[in-house]
Amino acid sequence: MSQKYLCKNEHGYTFVIALFVIVLIAVLGLGLMSVTSNTLNTTKHERNDQSIFYIAEAALNVKKQEVYTIVYNAYDWTREKHKKTKKEDRDKIDFVKMFIDKIKDDIPSQPVSYSNFEPQFNQQPEACIKVTIESESPLKINIESTGYLLDSSPTASCPNNIVKHNRTVEQIIDVDLNLKLLTDIDGENGGGNGPNLPNLAVQTTGNIRLEGSAKIDGSAVSNSGSIYLEGSANITGAVGTSQPLDAPDWLINREKLNDRLVDTKVPEISLPEFPNSIFNTLASSSYPKDFPLTNGNYAAGSDPPHSRELLTLTEDAKLNNFSVPDGKRITIDIGDKTVNLLVENTFSIGSNATVNIKGNGKLNIYVKNSLTITGTLGTTNRDPNNINVYYAGTKIPKIDDGGSLIAASLYAEKSDLALSGGGGISGNIVSGGSNVTIGGGRKPTGQYILAPNAKVSLGGDFKGVIIAQSYLGNGYGTVTYAPGIVPPPFPPSSTPDYSDPEHLITEEDLMEI
């Protein structure tokens, strides 16, 4: 009986189980602490690793702006040297090499440290930056930046103080060396006195073709197309094309065209934004108070042809139609304000009719559907950029029948333009259409023909600058470069500007090495 009792005695077994549970919990706790510690170390390492990447990238961006400044200063310095050099001595100097040497002189020859960062977790962020000329033709500038964290203030200049844990990024800056056109025709050889004036008579992305006795009196550039000269056609200034010049040998030799060829690519000018939002805003305007209207329409009266009708327009307004029949004369007084007039359907000035604008302000006319001007808008002594006609229709507007005078600028959103006799336009011509055709007859004294999506054809004379997709000069059509002309205000931010050298620089992708 005693042995049987002893076999069934379980006193003290609970202690063994409790001890086992305590040991198991201790083991699990130690394992959890180890995992947590490793996770914290990994997180700290990843945090530091990501931090030093951003340190390297931030320092590279700072140094990149310094490199931009070096390039811009060298650009301006080279242009100034060119201007101060006598014409007869310019061919003896390699201005491109001068430009490169100036950049090389200003770039630091040794790596430099950059530590203008806030300390983090008792460590000092720092980067070691190295700038080198990777190649001179083409000119490539390599910027390399290594980021790291120091436990104390640096005691030696980089690269000696770079710690083991670091990350390095690099970026290559490409610098365009096609400076010849910009220097050769800057200033007295084509540079204008007007604000932000392109140093070119004709600029296209596609082909330039001159037939018969057509002429470009100034410089011409085709960014991607060819230049064709047929008959006795000629270009008097610099000739820029990425393709071989297509012209008779006798003409090339006689005019020494090969001596004036430049391999260049100028910044392309985009079509400025058409003011559709203003059309929408003006739709809620009222009819002008001092106009004799019939159901929102204005038509000059049946008075004798030599009578004048004076109308006052000193605030924004709209009309359904505006019509001045043949031979009628009216005056619109706008005072000293900028006034906007929306014409919902048709704007028409008949043959020998006159619409004179009185006052020192600016009149913007917005026409939705149909535009006809075969008479006179404005006067010859008025600034053509103080009258602007914005045409939103798709039908080709009728401009000029041989006797019109338009002292205004014209912007056609999407329609083609066909201006017989040049349309007598003394302001800028801007078109979003596919074709702009200017015939012979009255010489347009305009500033710009800005039609970057269009083929521009010229059969008469034009004084100013033509920017187009392609250009055709035929007959005796002549483009004469005009210094001092006024850029189109459509809007001011679209003004062509070749004085800014930003187009010289192209950035390649940022890479980690």
Side-chain angles (χ1 to χ4, degrees):
M1 292 295 292
S2 177
Q3 289 182 341
K4 183 177 180 182
Y5 174 79
L6 290 174
C7 289
K8 292 183 178 181
N9 186 4
E10 297 179 353
H11 291 294
Y13 194 77
T14 302
F15 173 77
V16 175
I17 295 175
L19 181 63
F20 176 76
V21 171
I22 291 172
V23 171
L24 179 61
I25 292 174
V27 171
L28 291 174
L30 289 173
L32 183 60
M33 290 177 61
S34 177
V35 170
T36 302
S37 177
N38 290 336
T39 300
L40 289 173
N41 289 334
T42 301
T43 301
K44 180 180 178 181
H45 178 81
E46 290 179 350
R47 182 195 67 203
N48 290 344
D49 190 63
Q50 195 66 21
S51 294
I52 62 178
F53 175 84
Y54 290 134
I55 291 166
E57 183 182 26
L60 184 145
N61 287 329
V62 171
K63 181 58 65 174
K64 181 168 62 177
Q65 293 307 311
E66 295 179 10
V67 171
Y68 266 63
T69 300
I70 289 172
V71 173
Y72 294 164
N73 290 342
Y75 176 88
D76 292 336
W77 181 83
T78 306
R79 281 164 53 101
E80 192 63 28
K81 288 288 185 181
H82 181 274
K83 291 178 182 179
K84 292 181 178 180
T85 303
K86 294 180 179 179
K87 287 185 181 181
E88 58 269 23
D89 295 332
R90 289 177 180 174
D91 291 338
K92 304 173 185 177
I93 301 175
D94 188 344
F95 288 99
V96 172
K97 184 177 185 304
M98 182 182 291
F99 174 66
I100 295 174
D101 289 344
K102 177 63 175 173
I103 293 175
K104 291 169 67 175
D105 290 342
D106 292 342
I107 285 179
S109 58
Q110 299 296 326
V112 295
S113 61
Y114 184 83
S115 57
N116 192 21
F117 299 101
E118 292 289 335
Q120 59 178 48
F121 300 101
N122 298 321
Q123 290 183 302
Q124 176 60 48
E126 185 170 290
C128 184
I129 312 168
K130 181 170 61 175
V131 182
T132 56
I133 303 293
E134 188 166 283
S135 69
E136 292 188 11
S137 183
L139 180 57
K140 292 180 176 289
I141 303 174
N142 184 46
I143 306 174
E144 181 181 303
S145 176
T146 302
Y148 46 91
L149 293 169
L150 296 173
D151 292 329
S152 60
S153 299
T155 58
S157 61
C158 70
N160 298 328
N161 59 346
I162 297 179
V163 299
K164 184 177 180 180
H165 186 199
N166 63 75
R167 294 180 74 174
T168 301
V169 295
E170 72 170 7
Q171 189 170 27
I172 294 176
I173 305 299
D174 298 320
V175 181
D176 190 352
L177 296 178
N178 291 324
L179 303 177
K180 184 171 174 55
L181 182 68
L182 292 172
T183 54
D184 279 358
I185 63 177
D186 186 60
E188 72 278 2
N189 288 343
N193 299 317
N196 302 322
L197 181 68
N199 297 318
L200 303 166
V202 176
Q203 174 185 332
T204 67
T205 52
N207 296 335
I208 296 175
R209 180 183 292 274
L210 302 182
E211 301 174 349
S213 299
K215 181 180 179 181
I216 295 176
D217 191 2
S219 298
V221 165
S222 170
N223 271 347
S224 305
S226 298
I227 295 181
Y228 303 87
L229 302 179
E230 300 177 0
S232 58
N234 191 22
I235 300 173
T236 64
V239 182
T241 174
S242 59
Q243 307 295 328
L245 181 65
D246 190 336
D249 291 338
W250 63 267
L251 179 63
I252 292 177
N253 295 331
R254 188 188 73 182
E255 301 297 336
K256 298 181 179 180
L257 288 173
N258 285 333
D259 295 338
R260 293 188 276 114
L261 281 176
V262 291
D263 182 13
T264 187
K265 185 177 179 66
V266 297
E268 296 180 7
I269 307 300
S270 300
L271 190 71
E273 183 179 358
F274 192 76
N276 286 300
S277 59
I278 300 180
F279 274 79
N280 296 333
T281 300
L282 292 175
S284 59
S285 299
S286 302
Y287 297 125
K289 298 176 182 178
D290 296 319
F291 278 44
L293 303 178
T294 302
N295 298 324
N297 301 305
Y298 171 78
S302 58
D303 295 330
H306 297 294
S307 67
R308 295 177 181 269
E309 186 173 6
L310 178 62
L311 307 171
T312 302
L313 184 65
T314 55
E315 59 184 20
D316 293 351
K318 70 174 180 180
L319 292 168
N320 294 333
N321 295 283
F322 176 92
S323 174
V324 181
D326 295 353
K328 305 300 179 183
R329 305 178 69 184
I330 70 167
T331 297
I332 300 177
D333 186 357
I334 61 173
D336 296 327
K337 296 182 178 180
T338 295
V339 182
N340 299 309
L341 175 64
L342 171 66
V343 179
E344 294 275 11
N345 294 306
T346 298
F347 181 94
S348 174
I349 301 176
S351 179
N352 296 319
T354 298
V355 177
N356 180 41
I357 307 301
K358 180 182 177 182
N360 298 319
K362 178 183 291 186
L363 175 62
N364 297 316
I365 303 171
Y366 299 87
V367 182
K368 272 193 177 181
N369 293 325
S370 178
L371 176 64
T372 298
I373 304 178
T374 56
T376 296
L377 174 61
T379 57
T380 55
N381 59 354
R382 187 178 183 88
D383 182 352
N385 283 324
N386 281 339
I387 306 176
N388 300 302
V389 180
Y390 299 89
Y391 175 57
T394 56
K395 181 181 178 182
I396 297 177
K398 184 178 181 182
I399 306 292
D400 188 40
D401 63 356
S404 67
L405 170 63
I406 304 173
S409 293
L410 171 65
Y411 188 171
E413 179 189 17
K414 44 183 161 305
S415 72
D416 292 347
L417 293 177
L419 311 178
S420 62
I425 295 179
S426 60
N428 298 292
I429 299 171
V430 182
S431 174
S434 301
N435 293 279
V436 175
T437 304
I438 300 178
R442 183 191 298 269
K443 179 187 294 187
T445 56
Q447 286 81 39
Y448 284 84
I449 294 180
L450 179 54
N453 304 323
K455 173 185 177 181
V456 175
S457 302
L458 179 67
D461 291 336
F462 177 79
K463 188 175 183 179
V465 174
I466 294 178
I467 299 171
Q469 195 284 322
S470 64
Y471 173 73
L472 171 64
N474 50 56
Y476 289 91
T478 299
V479 180
T480 302
Y481 179 80
I485 62 179
V486 180
F490 297 122
S493 60
S494 68
T495 300
D497 183 359
Y498 294 145
S499 63
D500 187 348
E502 285 192 4
H503 64 276
L504 292 174
I505 295 177
T506 304
E507 296 181 8
E508 297 187 13
D509 293 335
L510 180 75
M511 299 180 62
E512 183 171 13
I513 58 175

